[in-house]
Each structure stands twice: as structure tokens, then as C-alpha cells.
Amino acid sequence: MTRASDTQGGRVALSKDGLPGWLDPVVHAVETVRPRQLSRFLPPEDGAGRQSAVLVLFGEGTHGPELLLMERASSLRSHAGQPSFPGGALDPEDGDPYGDGPLRAALREAEEETGLDPSGVQLFGVLPRLYIPVSGFVVTPVLGWWREPTPVGVVDPNETARVFTVPVVDLTDPANRATTVHPSGHQGPAFLVESALVWGFTAGIIDRLLHFAGWERPWDREKQVPLDWRA
């Protein structure tokens, strides 16, 4: 079992021991999904891009399984104002980018951004690395089970506007689903939940996890939400 109370220096490992049964489909999806089943944007073959990680954290709330999200501050240079998973670029102290560095970075960034206690998080899986062309980040999605939840909230208003959880039942509700249309013409999945429009990279990961875990419900893909020029 992962107990990563020290996210810098100590070994951080993955463990599936003792996970709740409802996470079994997610574990199976993580073990079997291929990179191109997640996104057409894969890391450049020449190794370019800044290594980063996000924490896809599943907890159990009053409405059942839920995901932890945050809304990035509107003043940030990259992905300003967007709901996202906690995460960010790897620091040298996080260690090997192709080893346990992304695991440590995901926990460290989540602690810095939301105040959660990493010692209550059990990491159980890693999705293939993906690429965000607009920012040049190579992102490793790290999946965790919030075994021992702790209070979370905005740590630094300059980085984070708010921290919130979204019940999975709301994410699978067809009424909360739509397709975003970027001014560039790019289209992608979106979720209208918790007074937020979740789109872009984060929505793509959620969409694929719901699909491959078998949790997806039929929804109207013709329902479109335009993104303004600032997006």
C-alpha cells in the first residue's frame, strides 16, 4: 500500500491492495488502454516537451464515487481559468521522469495546490503519457484512491481559484455532457458540472475513463458548447 507522506525522496509505489470493488473497472481500463485510445496527441518522438503529471483522484463522497478537481486561477499564463486535475511540471527533486518521478510529482502538486495530505492517498495506476500541444507538456495521468480523505481548499489564490469534487454519477449524467467547439475548430468532450465547464485535456481523460470503465451512458454528441477566443 502506498503511504507517501514524504513526496520528495522516499520511494513512491503503486498498489491495488484493498481498493473498493467499484474501482475494479477503472483498474482494468488502466491496465488495458492503449495510448491512441486516449488521445491522438502523443509525446513527440524526439523527446521534446516538459514532463509533468496530474493526479486523477477518486474518493467516495455523500453521492458515491467522486473525482477531485480544481479551477486554475484566471491570471495564469497556461490554461488560465480551466477546471483541471491537480498537477504540474516535474521538479528535479521528484526523481526519474520515466520512473517514480511522475508519482511523486502528482502527489506533491496536489498537496501544494489543494492542501490534501498525500499520506491518505493510495496510488494504483498510471495511464500512458499524453501531449498537450498548446502548452508543450508531456503529461502522465496518475490514478489514486483517496483512502483517508482530508480537508482540501485553495492554498495559493495566484494558482488556484477553487477546489471541488464532482460525483461520478453527475459526470455520467447525459444532461451534463456536451461537445465543445474551440475557435480553432477543434471539438472535444465536455462536462457541465459544479457550476463549471470541464473541457480540454481534463475532460478528455474523464471521457475516456468513463468509456473504458463501462460507466458511460449514451449522450447527445450534437449538443455543442462554443468556447470564446480567450479559451
Side-chain angles (χ1 to χ4, degrees):
M1 184 181 302
T2 300
R3 284 290 181 263
S5 55
D6 178 9
T7 59
Q8 292 189 358
R11 183 173 182 272
V12 182
L14 301 174
S15 171
K16 303 180 184 70
D17 296 341
L19 295 176
W22 57 261
L23 269 175
D24 288 348
V26 178
V27 173
H28 178 73
V30 172
E31 292 174 340
T32 57
V33 72
R34 309 305 302 162
R36 290 202 179 276
Q37 291 177 308
L38 291 175
S39 174
R40 62 188 177 94
F41 298 114
L42 302 183
E45 294 183 0
D46 62 2
R50 190 174 184 189
Q51 297 293 330
S52 62
V54 296
L55 180 64
V56 184
L57 184 60
F58 286 91
E60 190 149 14
T62 55
H63 299 287
E66 60 186 18
L67 276 173
L68 178 68
L69 296 177
M70 51 173 272
E71 191 170 305
R72 296 169 62 83
S74 59
S75 58
L76 291 176
R77 289 183 299 173
S78 179
H79 307 292
Q82 274 190 250
S84 68
F85 298 117
L90 268 67
D91 285 347
E93 296 78 16
D94 294 323
D96 184 2
Y98 297 95
D100 61 5
L103 309 186
R104 196 171 288 108
L107 289 174
R108 175 184 55 75
E109 286 282 346
E111 182 177 16
E112 292 175 0
E113 293 174 333
T114 74
L116 71 76
D117 183 349
S119 67
V121 175
Q122 177 179 341
L123 302 181
F124 66 86
V126 175
L127 289 172
R129 283 176 171 78
L130 303 175
Y131 187 59
I132 304 180
V134 67
S135 58
F137 281 106
V138 174
V139 186
T140 300
V142 179
L143 280 74
W145 158 236
W146 210 354
R147 177 175 291 279
E148 299 171 8
T150 49
V152 291
V154 174
V155 176
D156 183 354
N158 293 317
E159 287 194 6
T160 309
R162 66 172 172 141
V163 177
F164 59 102
T165 56
V166 180
V168 171
V169 68
D170 289 350
L171 293 167
T172 60
D173 186 344
N176 296 333
R177 304 215 53 182
T179 297
T180 52
V181 182
H182 194 275
S184 67
H186 176 72
Q187 298 187 9
F191 301 84
L192 297 102
V193 289
E194 302 297 325
S195 303
L197 174 64
V198 183
W199 63 283
F201 177 85
T202 302
I205 292 295
I206 295 173
D207 172 77
R208 294 294 81 197
L209 280 176
L210 296 180
H211 175 77
F212 288 108
W215 291 349
E216 185 179 39
R217 297 165 59 189
W219 57 282
D220 182 8
R221 297 172 187 270
E222 300 302 315
K223 176 183 174 184
Q224 296 187 340
V225 177
L227 296 171
D228 65 24
W229 64 271
R230 291 171 298 175

